[in-house]
Every structure is written in structure tokens, then in C-alpha cells.
Amino acid sequence: MNTTGPARRVTIVAARHREAVALVAAEGSGAELSVLCVEEDGKDGRAALDRALAEAERRGCRVMGPPRTVGGENGGGHAALLRELRALNPQRVRLADPDPVHVSYDGERDVPVHDEPAENADAALAGLAAAGELERESGTPVFVDCQRAGADGRSGTAAQPRYPHPAHWLTEGFDGRLSAFLPSAAGVVRWTQREPGGTAWRGPELLPGPRLMPGLRVVRDAHGFPHLFGLRRTPLKGGGDDIAVVRATQYRTGHPLTPWHSLGGPNPGSGRKSREVGFPAAGFDGVGGLFVFVRNFGHSVSYRHQGADGVWTPWQHLRGVRVADELVTVTTAGGEVELFARARDSAAVLRWYRSGPDGAWTEDRAVQFSPRPGSMAAGPEPGTVLFRDSRTNEPCVWWPGATGPVPLGGADDGAGLVTGVRGVEADGWSYSLLVRSGPGRACAVGVHAEGRADAGVWWNALPVDSAVMPAVVRDRTGTVTLATLVAGFRLRLSHRASPSDGFEFGHWYTV
């Protein structure tokens, strides 16, 4: 989805003018847009960017002056880029993919081949470093979007973010208090509820994550502890960078996380291969085991498993169809973790499942839905997947054994994920409550009888926009809380007006 929303000040950092064109085109309406180029470009590149900026103004952006070239100015490089970012004070920085996917492999030289200029990745890493430094020195969050290049073999598909924002970024802790986690240029930003059910919060607070890339996955275990997953970049002694999957856990709400523990990666030790590791997906099974999945360098799936005894397996590989960097885990009613992945070179979805805790993984190629890229998420009911249909954009749900996807209504020009919670009680019945982004980053809530999405969904617009995907949580008392992110990096929240009657939400408050 376009995650700019009410966070208006957006700065694009690109290698040259021509490389900024696609980044400008990806920006939605309403942004105050500025462009920084690391190198000067020729006449054609400058003209192409001028046209892209004029088109951005026509769709509702405000262009804040002409593009500036920073690479050759006083101080050059990082210092010049940081000076410009200080002056612009962006709320969001948009970059190219710092680790583009290879298109072939040169076996003779033993190196991957890319169709993206190396300068694009260099500029993205420079922009990310400068944005992180700006956030640390200012104390104000800076959010980053990296637009993936060449991630999907299908023609006509829109570029997707390299690092996803979390779907379930609002979560309940062990003590009943809520926490909100979002990735930023300098690590992870957290807001903490002061008392269970209360409207007083603390934050935003930067939880340092040295060399973390700007994406996040939040998964809650059966005990109520949130686990955070991401990617961390580490320089290699021989040159280049290694990227590893990392994990941290919040055992006490509002207190420091555990250290970020490295799980390594499926292609360790190779700065050329490990940097293409996909973003991790993770899920807990019914006995407390943890599975972590990633797309590997060869575009298949690799995983590690931590048993309930805390012992990790090494990285193992699931053979099968090549997949895109879009993996989703679900946990079934029987407590088994299943994996869904969008195929790289077709509109298909692949599913992997096991016959039992010790069973072998089976690949299912008969999944009967085709999602829009970037729209899959675990549904609120066990074993279900939510997505937007590739043809209609309508939110849908599917589960193994269904005769086909079940449309949920709300086929508008919104984008991105649909998520939700189950067990919302009303008039003696149990309902699932869904949230999604609509046109212009508006937010909407939908409700259907639990287990009966085919009976219809009632959608209602919310009186609030959000700079990121809205989040919802149902706590142990049955209270349902909605959260959005508004201008100035402030949370805006609302609680369901009644714990047992109707689906109206009360006063919205900002923290």
C-alpha cells in the first residue's frame, strides 16, 4: 500500500534524476515532495524527472522546489546528504532497493547478475544511513520506504516494498497492557499503554537496533510475549555485507527488549547471496514451537524451527516453485503452522503444510486464489488467509478445503492488507472484526459472524486516516482497540464503545 498518508513531508533519495522517476511515481497524493540526487544526470534524465514531478503535482502532491544534487557539494557524500535532510526534516524517506534481486548468475565469475545499476543500491544505503542519523540526533521518528526493483517476474505488476510494515503492530503484552511497534530508519519505535484499558500512553520511544533494515514482523506467542523479527546488516571482513534474520522479544511491557539475536540466514558468509534474503515470516504452533521462513537466494523457501525446549534446527530448504518475497504463516485450529507464498513467475499461491508435528512438508499447488501483490495476511480465524483479489481488488478470505475464495465486499481503490481479530461478542454471538485501508488512506472496519464470512460483511468507514495500515487488537478483557498513525508520528486510538453490544467505536484520542 502507499504508506505516505498524513505524514506529508516525503524526501526521495536517488542515485540520479532518472532513477528518481519510479520513486516519484510511487508516491500518492497529498505529500510535500522533495528530491535529492547523489549524482548529476544528463538532459534526458532531468527532463524525465521534471515530467514525473509535474504528474505528481497533478495528482495532488506539492513539489518543494527543484531536485537537488548533493554528491559533489561542500563536504560531499554523507555529510551533504545529512545537511539536506536536516533542512528538509522529512517524516518519510523513499529509497530504491538497497539489495536488488539478481536476474541471472555468472557461473564463470561466481557472481550474481543484476539489471539495476549498482549506484541505485549505494544511494539507497546512503539515504538509509543519513535518515537513521537524523532520527537519532533529532529524537523524532523517520520512516523509510524502500521500493523493490525486479522482485516479480510477472509483467505489469506494481513494484512492492522491500521491507514490509507489520500487519499486527498493535499487540497485547503479558500484563494486559498494549504496545505499538513500527520500524523506522534507526530501529524500532514503540508506544506503551500505561495501564490496561487506559488512554494514557508513553512514546514514541526509539528501541535501538544497530544496522536493522527498516521492516518489522510482530508475532505474539501463547504466553502473551511479543516477538519482533527483522533483518540486520553486518559488514564482512573481506568486503561486502552479510544480512541475517534477527529476533528480539519483549518480556516486560514498556521495558527494554532482549538483545537482537541472530538466526543467520540460508546463504551465510556470502555478501553477494546473503544480501538477497527475503523478509522473515514467523509463526508459533500449538505446542510452543516457532517456525521462521524466508525466501532464499534461489527464490525457494528456507526455514528454521525452534522447539518448545528452545533448541533450534539449522536452516532447511523447502523445494518447489520459485516464490516472490511475500510469505505468510497461519496456525490451524489443530495448532499446526502452515506457510503461504506468492509465486514469483505466475499469479499462483503455494501452500506448505505438514501431516503432524513430525511430518514432512508437503507443497500444495492447488490453492484457489490469486492475490494482488502485497495484500496477503493471516486471517483472524485459524488457518485462514485474507487478501485482495488480483482482478477486482476486493478483499477475500480463503482456507484449505474452501471451494474458492469468499468475497468480503469493499472493492474500492484502497490497497494493502486486510487484517482483523475474532471473538468479538455481540448479542450473544461471536464475530470477526476486520480493518483495511480504503481510498486516500481512509480506514474502514468490517464485521461478519465468526466462521460465516460467506453470509456477508458490514463495512463502516472510520473518521480517521492513517499513515500506515490500521491495526486492531482484542485484549483478554474483550476490549477491542483500533490504532492509526496520524501526522506528527502520533497514535490515534479508539476503543469499542461496548464490550458486548454493537460495533461502534467511542471517542478517538491522540497520544
Side-chain angles (χ1 to χ4, degrees), residues 11-20 23 35-41 49 67-73 75-82 84-85 93-96 118-128 130:
T11 296
I12 288 171
V13 179
R16 292 178 294 270
H17 294 69
R18 70 190 67 199
E19 275 74 40
L23 301 176
V35 179
L36 301 177
C37 298
V38 174
E39 300 177 13
E40 189 55 72
D41 205 347
L49 180 54
R68 292 180 57 81
T69 302
V70 299
E73 297 186 1
H78 177 80
L81 185 55
L82 182 57
E84 291 288 347
L85 288 180
V93 174
R94 187 179 285 278
L95 307 168
E119 293 82 0
N120 285 9
D122 294 340
L125 289 171
L128 181 57

Side-chain angles (χ1 to χ4, degrees), residues 169-171 178-182 189-193 201 483 491:
W169 52 272
L170 181 69
T171 185
L178 305 183
S179 300
F181 300 95
L182 286 172
V189 178
R190 179 179 68 185
W191 293 259
T192 304
Q193 190 179 40
W201 289 66
L491 287 187

